Amino acid sequence: MTTRILPAVGDADAARSVTTLLSQLPDAEPAAPVGDSTQLIDTLARLAGESIEELPEVVLVHERIGPVPALELIREVSLRFPAVGVVLITADASQTLFAAAMDAGARGLVTLPLSYEELANRVQAAAQWSTGVRRHLGSGGDVFTGPGGTVVTVTGAKGGVGATVTAVQLALAAQASGHTAALVDLDLQTGDIAAYLDVQFRRSVVDLAVITDISPRVLSDAVFSHDTGLALLLAPGEGERGEEVSDRAARQIVSALRSRYEVVVIDCGSQMSGANAAAIEMADTAVLVTTPDVVAVRGAKRIVRMWDRLQIRKAEETVTLVNRFNRSTEIQPALIQRITGTRMAGTAVPANFKELQGAVDSGRMHELDPRSTVKQALWALAGELGLVKPSQGAEPRGGMLRGDRGSIGGRKRKGGTTSGGGRQ
């Protein structure tokens, strides 16, 4: 049986060494090494989206992989792709590291400098384990095997540009279309999703930060089931407690949510922390919300450059949404695209705060009038991002979601203009 092996090695010399040894293993089919954690997760997600059989049997993770630390990466791979055997390559052969690697989900550990015999034994053992798991899954076991739910982060270019309203409406659109959806508040100091949805709940994301193994029961105890069907994971009531949520905790929380819900929308606010940076890095789609004014666009450009410097996300992998759009403004979406280097959303949200005033003041954002042009634009964005299930018999554009008349669509007008936004 051929064993497919995917090395994740950031160092070029180490990658050549690993590839050379792998090519000597019998019945081995090594793939070209991936250079960082993001490439590894993206590659596995793409393969898993096709079929579980397309996944490699073995993934080798080098200790100096980045930007996500090796043990964190192993944990995420094990959670999202349980049919893949992961082996850690490290110079540290201590019992402490061995135990930590096993706790993270590794199936073995190979020490540096690499030896043919040790590498062959660990790869063979991991491959046999992977084959057994796939055989079990193929027999009809009800085990999560796919790439996981879709994670979307929403970040504001600065405070007050509408990131929370955007996150809430995206999650509501996904839930209304039939998806299981979770809405997470990672604006840890000033998050107010609870106020927007009239929720009082004593548990928050902080309660999950100290847990090393988030089981489905633990997760269900921490989330609040809203009347709309949304699962809410809220920011702490005391802003200073947000510091308790580390980037490692955020990765575990996002991975746990991804494995339980089809759509996970995360409000990251406008201030960067290790926690929301980790979420943005892990997200399938990162939405950056700005308004068409100089200060906000400068803020958007600053955030995009910071994400690139910290290797969180590339500009071209970010979707920018223009909120409070008006055709008479001097700054148009095309200019924002040139300034930030990001991809612009096909929908812009019109400047019509009067439609929101009542829902915001009453904390009933989920009861926003379906005829609202703001809501229609945001639900059209949800459709553009692939967060909604098309209704049976619905038109490709301008359809309706279950139980909410006229809330999705953004019919295209002549000249490439949507009903909710401007010319793109």
Side-chain angles (χ1 to χ4, degrees):
M1 182 191 74
T2 301
T3 300
R4 292 164 298 179
I5 307 168
L6 177 59
V9 185
D11 181 75
D13 293 335
R16 282 192 293 270
S17 175
V18 170
T19 303
T20 300
L21 273 181
L22 290 177
S23 65
Q24 299 173 17
L25 299 181
D27 299 323
E29 185 180 305
V34 294
D36 57 48
S37 57
T38 302
Q39 291 181 34
L40 175 61
I41 295 298
D42 288 348
T43 300
L44 293 176
R46 175 177 53 80
L47 294 173
E50 299 174 7
S51 167
I52 185 175
E53 298 301 326
E54 296 299 319
L55 287 168
E57 283 76 22
V58 180
V59 167
L60 300 177
V61 175
H62 194 274
E63 63 179 354
R64 292 198 298 271
I65 193 70
V68 177
L71 292 181
E72 301 284 345
L73 180 59
I74 290 172
R75 188 183 301 277
E76 184 175 354
V77 171
S78 300
L79 283 171
R80 294 182 59 181
F81 313 100
V84 174
V86 187
V87 176
L88 174 64
I89 301 175
T90 177
D92 183 359
S94 67
Q95 288 294 325
T96 301
L97 179 62
F98 181 82
M102 296 304 105
D103 288 342
R107 304 306 307 173
L109 185 148
V110 180
T111 56
L112 294 169
L114 293 175
S115 71
Y116 173 86
E117 184 175 351
E118 184 183 18
L119 181 62
N121 289 338
R122 296 295 177 269
V123 166
Q124 182 181 15
Q128 290 176 348
W129 176 86
S130 174
T131 301
V133 170
R134 296 180 194 208
R135 189 180 300 116
H136 167 71
L137 295 176
S139 66
D142 185 17
V143 180
F144 181 80
T145 61
T150 300
V151 176
V152 175
T153 57
V154 182
T155 305
K158 67 180 187 66
V161 297
T164 299
V165 171
T166 300
V168 169
Q169 291 300 328
L170 290 180
L172 288 171
Q175 178 69 31
S177 75
H179 282 303
T180 57
L183 176 59
V184 185
D185 199 341
L186 274 187
D187 186 0
L188 296 172
Q189 292 187 349
T190 59
D192 47 18
I193 283 178
Y196 275 70
L197 295 176
D198 192 23
V199 171
Q200 292 183 350
F201 190 53
R202 63 186 181 86
R203 295 196 182 276
S204 73
V205 66
V206 173
D207 293 291
L208 295 177
V210 296
I211 299 175
T212 56
D213 186 12
I214 303 175
S215 66
R217 181 173 180 177
V218 169
L219 184 63
S220 64
D221 287 342
V223 301
F224 176 84
S225 297
H226 194 258
D227 293 341
T228 59
L230 280 179
L232 303 179
L233 185 56
L234 303 172
E238 304 82 15
E240 66 274 13
R241 296 200 64 194
E243 297 180 359
E244 299 175 32
V245 185
S246 65
D247 56 342
R248 177 178 180 178
R251 293 183 193 282
Q252 295 185 39
I253 292 168
V254 173
S255 294
L257 288 165
R258 191 199 295 267
S259 70
R260 301 292 296 176
Y261 299 95
E262 294 173 303
V263 174
V264 180
V265 180
I266 305 174
D267 179 6
C268 292
S270 58
Q271 296 182 359
M272 291 302 301
S273 67
N276 54 31
I280 293 166
E281 182 185 352
M282 295 177 67
D284 299 286
T285 303
V287 177
L288 179 60
V289 183
T290 186
T291 48
D293 58 82
V294 172
V295 175
V297 173
R298 282 179 177 172
K301 182 179 180 180
R302 183 167 56 246
I303 286 178
V304 169
R305 287 184 171 181
M306 179 172 63
W307 287 355
D308 186 63
R309 289 195 305 271
L310 298 178
Q311 297 183 341
I312 295 172
R313 203 166 197 91
K314 296 179 180 178
E316 59 269 23
E317 296 173 349
T318 301
V319 177
T320 297
L321 172 69
V322 180
N323 189 22
R324 300 174 196 151
F325 175 78
N326 190 308
R327 296 183 187 280
S328 63
T329 57
E330 183 175 348
I331 300 178
Q332 294 291 307
L335 177 59
I336 297 174
Q337 182 175 24
R338 287 198 299 272
I339 292 173
T340 62
T342 58
R343 179 164 57 91
M344 300 303 298
T347 300
V349 182
N352 202 341
F353 182 75
K354 289 183 179 180
E355 296 178 353
L356 303 177
Q357 187 76 58
V360 170
D361 291 344
S362 64
R364 310 288 292 179
M365 184 58 65
H366 51 292
E367 296 179 357
L368 184 62
D369 190 337
R371 294 171 297 181
S372 162
T373 57
V374 173
K375 180 173 182 175
Q376 290 178 4
L378 290 173
W379 285 41
L381 174 66
E384 179 184 337
L385 299 179
L387 304 184
V388 300
K389 292 181 179 179
S391 302
Q392 291 185 354
E395 298 177 1
R397 285 184 172 272
M400 293 184 290
L401 294 184
R402 184 180 61 192
D404 203 319
R405 291 175 56 85
S407 297
I408 184 73
R411 295 190 178 223
K412 192 127 179 173
R413 296 175 179 167
K414 292 181 180 180
T417 303
T418 62
S419 61
R423 192 183 307 272
Q424 303 298 312

